[in-house]
């Protein structure tokens, strides 16, 4: 009889797991999982069992279990690899957060600020609670990407151990560093906003995108979007719908089928290497588009002596970020997922109250996010066509084309950004070519019309220049009077378009239109100078 499956934190099948079934304290049977992680046992389906699972390299655990006749049960085991996350992942200075770390051996925890230089803040102590592997966490069974893992809640009752950490007074991007006795290392970010505004610049960390791309647990907005399948993965390219039917078909579910994603999970995409510095090239598949990529912007701001306050997406959504207290709002790299409230709040500030924005990223505001609460978000459907275009036809009026998912639900993001992402140029890198050299954004650059700039980049996944990875272009929805200043030299006319616009009420917007722009700030003098020119003018 098929009882269920056993998988790890990425929903990968675990073979050869030893599984013991007991009923009323008496051993019923011991079996092992198959290569597909399947668990078969000849047991009475009407009884409740105490199930114990064990496999080398994974944490053992016990489960009170009754057979589910309508669906195989999903047992989840956590590998011994060091990992963790902070909760809340965003706080204000003076507030408390808690590092939730999974480790099978004692570990040291330290707090660092990530700016131009990584700054050691303080030593938080060694954690080695009584008992063998007492700092090891366990996974809930089933799909825990929706409710979160809830670490540090289960049986952690020592009144003498307090893991709460008070957020430093200075706003910024902080990282917890965990290091075990044997030298294993893992780091995870913590966004600290100011208790009260301290500067003229507010920077928004793209915490929604961090979560949307996080497949820890087996689901993200790109993997198993509508829920975990009955069988765990043995080999991704044979088992995942994004490879077997194509990503655009996997994403074509109705909005109601897109299940929530919890922020209460580790985010491997945000892990920064032990000795990594801001001036190092950005390694990894997604790190360049997540917190490590955004760190390069913060380092550059400090190098150029621009004070800033950092906030999370959620703190913009719930009003913690008071836009009227700032002259400039910056969002960067890949702020793909915004709530309607975030968008409307910023648009009103720019077009009615004279706010000024720098959009230093690519494929931004492309999809609406709904917050179910502070711990959970839900995204709407991609509804992309089989051709793979970023735009999509209106299901009710095929002659009309939406420019993005956000356009389908709210309006084209080009109304605020001045640009919108398109398919051309994706996964390429190139410098920009100057189109309007007499504009003030090119002051002190010695650039002329037709010149190339942005040749240098720290981006390893899409090397080649400041225009790359995913790029945005002007659209019919760009604000009236939007000026095209430069365009990337990417193939197929796919270069990011650098634009500028002003509003009647004194507001303004500057867009780089490229994910890789911030990867060039620290190493390309023209990209640095142009960004300096815009910020200094906006601060006047």
């Amino acid at each position: 009889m098929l009882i269920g499956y056993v998988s790890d934190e990425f929903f990968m099948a675990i073979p050869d797991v030893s599984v013991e079934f007991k009923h009323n304290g008496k051993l019923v049977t011991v079996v092992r999982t198959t290569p597909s992680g399947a668990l078969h046992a000849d047991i009475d389906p009407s009884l409740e069992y105490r199930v114990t699972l064990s496999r080398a390299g994974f944490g053992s655990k016990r489960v009170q279990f009754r057979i589910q006749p309508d669906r195989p049960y999903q047992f989840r085991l956590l590998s011994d690899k060091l990992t963790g996350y902070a909760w809340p992942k965003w706080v204000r200075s003076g507030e408390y957060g808690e590092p939730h770390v999974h480790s099978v051996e004692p570990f040291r925890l330290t707090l660092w600020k990530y700016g131009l230089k990584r700054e050691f803040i303080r030593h938080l102590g060694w954690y080695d609670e009584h008992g063998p592997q007492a700092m090891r966490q366990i996974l809930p069974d089933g799909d825990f990407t929706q409710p979160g893992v809830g670490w540090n809640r289960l049986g952690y009752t020592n009144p003498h151990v307090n893991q709460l950490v008070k957020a430093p007074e200075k706003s910024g991007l902080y990282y917890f560093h965990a290091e075990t006795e044997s030298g294993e290392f893992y780091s995870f970010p913590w966004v600290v906003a100011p208790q009260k505004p301290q500067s003229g610049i507010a920077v928004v960390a793209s915490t929604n995108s961090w979560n949307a791309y996080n497949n820890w647990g087996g689901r993200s907005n790109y993997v198993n979007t509508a829920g975990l399948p009955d069988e765990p993965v043995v080999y991704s390219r044979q088992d995942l719908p994004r490879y077997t039917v194509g990503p655009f078909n996997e994403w074509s579910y109705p909005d109601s089928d897109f299940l929530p994603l919890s922020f209460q999970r580790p985010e491997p995409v945000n892990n920064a290497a032990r000795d990594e510095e801001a001036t190092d090239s950005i390694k990894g598949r997604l790190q360049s588009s997540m917190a490590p990529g955004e760190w390069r912007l913060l380092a550059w701001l400090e190098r150029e002596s621009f004070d800033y306050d950092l906030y999370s997406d959620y703190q913009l959504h719930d009003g913690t970020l008071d836009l009227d207290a700032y002259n400039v709002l910056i969002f960067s790299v890949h702020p793909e997922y915004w709530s309607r409230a975030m968008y409307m709040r910023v648009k009103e500030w720019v077009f009615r109250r004279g706010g000024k924005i720098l959009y230093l990223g690519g494929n931004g505001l492309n999809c609406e996010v709904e917050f179910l609460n502070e711990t959970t978000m839900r995204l709407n459907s991609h509804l992309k066509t089989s051709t793979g275009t970023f735009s999509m036809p209106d299901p009710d009026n095929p002659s009309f084309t939406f420019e993005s998912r956000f356009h389908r639900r709210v309006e084209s993001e080009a109304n605020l950004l001045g640009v919108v992402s398109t398919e051309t140029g994706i996964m390429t890198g190139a410098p920009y070519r100057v189109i309007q050299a007499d504009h003030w954004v090119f002051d002190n650059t010695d650039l002329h019309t037709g010149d190339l700039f942005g040749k240098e980049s720290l981006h390893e996944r899409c090397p080649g220049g400041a225009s790359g990875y995913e790029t945005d272009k002007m659209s019919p929805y760009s604000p009236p009077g939007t000026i095209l200043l430069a365009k990337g030299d990417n193939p197929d006319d796919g270069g990011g378009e650098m634009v500028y616009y002003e509003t009647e009420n004194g507001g303004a917007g500057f867009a780089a239109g490229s994910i890789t722009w911030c990867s060039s700030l620290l190493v390309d003098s023209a990209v640095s100078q142009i960004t300096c020119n815009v910020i200094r003018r906006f601060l006047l």
Side-chain angles (χ1 to χ4, degrees), residues 387-409:
T387 60
T389 56
F390 275 36
S391 58
M392 64 201 75
D394 183 348
D396 300 321
N397 180 14
S399 64
F400 179 80
T401 299
F402 293 115
E403 292 193 325
S404 66
R405 294 166 286 168
F406 201 85
H407 188 190
R408 182 176 67 85
R409 298 266 299 194

Side-chain angles (χ1 to χ4, degrees), residues 423-441:
E423 184 82 3
T424 57
I426 191 169
M427 298 307 297
T428 67
Y432 283 80
R433 189 175 298 276
V434 178
I435 292 176
Q436 194 162 325
D438 59 351
H439 195 275
W440 56 262
V441 300

Side-chain angles (χ1 to χ4, degrees), residues 461-477:
R461 191 179 189 201
C462 277
S467 170
Y469 201 162
E470 291 177 353
T471 56
D472 304 355
K473 294 86 178 177
M474 291 177 62
S475 94
Y477 298 96

Side-chain angles (χ1 to χ4, degrees), residues 495-518:
E497 295 187 347
M498 192 178 82
V499 306
Y500 175 77
Y501 70 84
E502 295 179 348
T503 72
E504 294 179 353
N505 292 320
F510 171 87
S514 165
I515 285 180
T516 59
W517 180 270
C518 287

